[in-house]
């Protein structure tokens, strides 16, 4: 039986850049210890009080179908938090609760794009983006950002492709680069979205993880709230990746359509997960800082380890749980370096090439192992790069 084009070409074919990751997992399975600095998963688990609240809710009977748009309590909590953090008045009518940010990204593109429409996104990018866009039968178009700009996008580069596009997907704080978009960058993007009548899909799942500067949601810029769909999630901010709870924030008429869309796709998020999410959000910002603290600490470790050498460059690492390292001075591609590092020293990092073409000659390092292990792995990486550069 023939499958649809959509489903059989979702990843676009070719290598998906995860070879190093798969090789590392095989080494581990065959008994070789590997320090894995690959995927974006905290090294802590969901906090016990959140799980206790989830348990209480489930035992209390919140195990049936939940309201498709999300519970009133969670929509209100997310709306109040958004109003408070961004200054944009937000009510439950602006909020759809989704099974994670990933599903919110899919829903947002379904709302913005018809089949065949061009959907823009920025390279380097989070691995699922082009497939998510293909999933709604839109056409993904990557726009390169530049290492020399620390991967802050230039509005002029985007404008060159905006003519026939319907949407632009951005992500700050950024996975994989750790870059936090400046006010100037975001204003440039807002201006071009208005000039070219683009939907802006703003993936802000790392918005509580800021190590330098501050997070600005572009929905708060003048004229943007009616054309911006914000993607949020409990995954990164509250170490609840497995709970699958996220949201889309947008104009009420868009949310109304997305509720209908959710009725025909996900049918909502389990009630006990939503109750636990309300509980988690009510712990306030001190709790969010606690979840992010290990990454802040490890970023400082990285700055110390990388200071005083000039073979491995560090993209500023302003936010999120990743470092982007420039290893072009070794003369190797990110892919060759990552493979060689894994073979020689059993340290697994992601080649920059896994995230598009703009981060070629770079490595993404997830800061997701204990401080001491992290420091040793980085030292190993630096010494390895130095030995290669020295020939
Ligand atoms: N956006 C970005 C940039 C991510 O890194 C991730 C997860 N790694 C997601 C969205 C999706 O996260 P979730 O579905 O767990 O909310």
């Amino acid at each position: 039986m023939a499958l649809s084009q959509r489903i059989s070409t979702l990843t676009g074919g070719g290598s998906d850049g995860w070879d190093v990751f798969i090789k590392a997992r095989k080494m581990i399975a065959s008994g070789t210890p590997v320090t894995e600095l690959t995927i974006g998963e905290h090294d802590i688990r969901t906090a016990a009080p959140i799980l206790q609240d989830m348990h209480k809710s489930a035992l209390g009977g919140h195990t049936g179908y939940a309201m498709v748009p999300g519970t009133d309590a969670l929509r209100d909590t997310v709306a109040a938090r958004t109003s408070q953090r961004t200054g944009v008045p937000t009510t439950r009518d602006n909020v759809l609760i989704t099974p994670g940010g990933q599903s919110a990204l899919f829903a947002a593109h379904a709302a913005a794009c018809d089949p065949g429409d061009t959907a823009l996104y920025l390279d380097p990018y989070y691995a699922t983006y082009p497939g998510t866009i293909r999933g709604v039968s839109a056409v993904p178009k990557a726009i390169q950002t530049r290492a020399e700009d620390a991967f802050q996008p230039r509005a002029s580069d985007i404008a060159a492709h905006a003519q026939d596009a319907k949407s632009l997907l951005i992500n700050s704080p950024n996975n994989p680069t750790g870059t936090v978009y400046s006010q100037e960058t975001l204003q440039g993007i807002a201006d071009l979205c208005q000039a070219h009548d683009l939907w802006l899909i703003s993936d802000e799942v790392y918005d509580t993880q800021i190590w330098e500067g501050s997070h600005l949601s572009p929905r708060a810029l003048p004229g943007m709230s009616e054309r911006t769909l914000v993607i949020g999630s409990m995954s990164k901010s509250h170490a609840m990746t497995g709970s699958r709870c996220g949201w889309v924030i947008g104009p009420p008429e868009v949310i109304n359509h997305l509720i209908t869309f959710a009725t025909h796709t996900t049918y909502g998020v389990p009630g006990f997960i939503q109750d636990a999410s309300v509980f988690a959000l009510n712990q306030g910002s001190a709790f969010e800082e606690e979840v992010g603290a290990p990454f802040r600490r490890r970023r400082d470790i990285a700055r110390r380890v990388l200071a005083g050498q000039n073979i491995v460059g560090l993209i500023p690492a302003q936010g999120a749980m990743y470092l982007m390292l420039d290893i072009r001075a070794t003369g190797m591609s990110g892919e060759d370096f990552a493979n060689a590092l894994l073979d020689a020293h059993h340290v697994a990092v992601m080649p920059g090439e896994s995230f598009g073409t703009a981060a070629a000659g770079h490595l993404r390092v997830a800061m997701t192992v204990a401080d001491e292990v992290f420091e040793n792995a980085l030292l190993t990486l630096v010494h390895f790069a130095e030995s290669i550069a020295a020939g």
Side-chain angles (χ1 to χ4, degrees):
M1 285 296 290
L3 285 167
S4 73
Q5 272 287 106
R6 184 194 311 107
I7 212 79
S8 49
T9 60
L10 202 73
T11 60
S15 159
D16 61 5
W18 287 76
D19 302 351
V20 179
F21 173 75
I22 292 163
K23 190 158 113 188
R25 283 288 155 103
K26 281 189 182 149
M27 285 168 72
I28 293 167
S30 68
T32 308
V34 173
T35 304
E36 278 195 291
L37 307 172
T38 47
I39 57 170
E41 175 102 58
H42 313 70
D43 47 322
I44 55 166
R45 300 285 88 182
T46 305
I50 298 175
L51 298 176
Q52 276 149 5
D53 191 82
M54 199 181 285
H55 184 73
K56 193 177 86 196
S57 167
L59 283 179
H62 211 167
T63 53
Y65 291 122
M67 302 275 285
V68 172
T71 62
D72 288 350
L74 182 55
R75 293 173 86 198
D76 287 346
T77 303
V78 169
R81 181 171 181 266
T82 303
S83 306
Q84 188 252 322
R85 288 170 67 89
T86 65
V88 187
T90 305
T91 70
R92 80 169 68 140
D93 296 336
N94 297 107
V95 181
L96 170 76
I97 303 300
T98 61
Q102 188 60 52
S103 161
L105 283 163
F106 181 71
H109 281 94
C113 297
D114 276 315
D117 282 344
T118 299
L120 306 176
Y121 65 110
L122 302 172
D123 178 350
Y125 52 85
Y126 171 50
T128 67
Y129 282 178
T132 301
I133 292 168
R134 287 190 199 98
V136 302
S137 299
V139 180
K141 170 77 193 155
I143 295 165
Q144 308 260 314
T145 59
R146 304 163 194 239
E148 73 254 36
D149 298 338
F151 300 107
Q152 293 273 341
R154 294 186 191 181
S156 55
D157 288 340
I158 304 170
H161 299 278
Q163 203 59 43
D164 304 313
K166 266 291 184 56
S167 62
L168 167 65
L169 170 58
I170 64 170
N171 169 223
S172 175
N174 187 267
N175 175 13
T177 62
T179 301
V180 173
Y181 293 177
S182 67
Q183 165 128 26
E184 192 189 356
T185 294
L186 289 168
Q187 188 59 59
I189 287 172
D191 291 345
L192 95 88
C193 285
Q194 293 181 49
H196 294 276
D197 199 23
L198 297 182
W199 285 102
L200 181 62
I201 300 173
S202 180
D203 179 344
E204 303 181 19
V205 302
Y206 294 100
D207 67 348
T208 60
Q209 298 181 358
I210 302 280
W211 324 131
E212 203 177 290
S214 52
H215 174 69
L216 171 64
S217 176
R219 179 168 172 262
L221 293 172
M224 288 307 289
S225 67
E226 61 263 36
R227 63 172 66 247
T228 305
L229 303 175
V230 174
I231 308 304
S233 173
M234 298 300 293
S235 288
K236 313 294 178 176
S237 55
H238 292 78
M240 290 177 69
T241 49
S243 288
R244 313 310 304 132
C245 189
W247 50 84
V248 182
I249 294 171
E253 53 283 13
V254 180
I255 297 300
N256 270 337
H257 285 292
L258 284 180
I259 292 168
T260 307
F261 188 69
T263 302
H264 296 84
T265 52
T266 62
Y267 215 81
V269 173
F272 51 92
I273 298 284
Q274 297 194 62
D275 287 347
S277 298
V278 171
F279 175 87
L281 289 168
N282 284 339
Q283 302 310 298
S285 56
F287 179 79
E288 293 163 16
E289 275 163 34
E290 208 178 296
V291 172
F295 308 124
R296 182 188 287 280
R297 244 182 9 245
R298 292 167 199 160
R299 174 211 183 241
D300 291 342
I301 291 172
R303 280 156 60 102
R304 177 164 51 71
V305 168
L306 294 167
Q309 56 81 49
N310 53 12
I311 302 300
V312 179
L314 175 64
I315 300 298
Q318 300 161 306
M321 48 176 85
Y322 314 98
L323 305 174
M324 183 59 81
L325 302 181
D326 182 349
I327 48 107
R328 287 176 293 179
T330 64
M332 289 176 92
S333 70
E335 205 154 353
D336 288 346
F337 186 97
N339 268 302
L341 180 69
L342 179 60
D343 291 341
H345 295 291
H346 304 172
V347 172
V349 298
M350 294 296 291
E353 292 86 357
S354 307
F355 308 98
T357 56
H362 290 70
L363 305 170
R364 190 193 76 171
V365 176
M367 300 187 277
T368 48
V369 293
D371 295 15
E372 203 181 288
V373 180
F374 178 71
E375 178 160 357
N376 285 334
L378 263 192
L379 279 166
T380 302
L381 185 154
V382 169
H383 293 149
F384 187 61
E386 284 172 340
S387 69
I388 291 167

